Amino acid sequence: MPRVPFHYIDLRTFCYETEDEKRVEEALRTFLPDDFEVDRIESTGHHGDRIVVFSARAERADDVRHILSKIRELPDFEGLLDELDDRVTDNTEFFLRLDKQAAFKGEARRGGGITLRAKVEAYPAKKEAAVKNAREALLGDE
């Protein structure tokens, strides 16, 4: 299998008091391999409301490949590829927001609710190299 040019991929979402924790965690798991460990941290909002933060970090190549395969299911995947220059920072980080409601239904869509942050491998650590590597990784075996 080809090398995956990501150091890691972080996924994070918030569960607000009006939401069901199990459903929010299930939405996050749409992008993760089966039985992947999800961290849960309770916090308090500005007005004293309870917020639960669910997060997961994939560092193993197979786990990263799994997440990338889910990203390839985006209906506007080609549009995402066109935006890579805007989505990769000078620090070689790739950012994407995913729709939490669609994820709960098992669908990959861009939107709000789930944040994906990935550290792209690039030598030298320059944005141009990171964009190229991210593009190749997202295209996968195509």
Side-chain angles (χ1 to χ4, degrees), residues 58-74:
E59 295 176 322
R60 291 183 40 236
D62 286 344
D63 297 335
V64 169
R65 280 188 197 95
H66 180 87
I67 295 168
L68 293 177
S69 73
K70 295 295 186 181
I71 300 306
R72 286 185 204 104
E73 295 174 10
L74 290 169

Side-chain angles (χ1 to χ4, degrees), residues 36-138:
F36 197 87
E37 183 178 336
V38 172
D39 294 325
R40 180 189 180 282
I41 298 172
E42 283 197 38
S43 187
T44 305
H46 180 70
H47 298 288
D49 51 322
R50 182 182 59 90
I51 299 173
V52 178
V53 181
F54 290 103
S55 61
R57 174 173 279 195
E59 295 176 322
R60 291 183 40 236
D62 286 344
D63 297 335
V64 169
R65 280 188 197 95
H66 180 87
I67 295 168
L68 293 177
S69 73
K70 295 295 186 181
I71 300 306
R72 286 185 204 104
E73 295 174 10
L74 290 169
D76 58 343
F77 180 68
E78 292 299 321
L80 172 64
L81 293 175
D82 292 341
E83 297 171 1
L84 275 181
D85 198 50
D86 295 327
R87 295 194 167 278
V88 175
T89 69
D90 290 336
N91 292 326
T92 72
E93 294 171 309
F94 167 63
F95 287 93
L96 179 63
R97 296 205 38 168
L98 301 161
D99 187 311
K100 184 165 49 171
Q101 290 294 329
F104 175 70
K105 297 174 188 170
E107 302 169 12
R109 294 203 186 286
R110 291 204 276 173
I114 299 174
T115 303
L116 180 147
R117 176 180 164 263
K119 183 67 172 175
V120 184
E121 286 182 9
Y123 303 102
K126 303 279 186 202
K127 179 177 179 173
E128 296 77 23
V131 169
K132 179 180 179 279
N133 288 347
R135 180 178 313 281
E136 289 174 3
L138 285 166

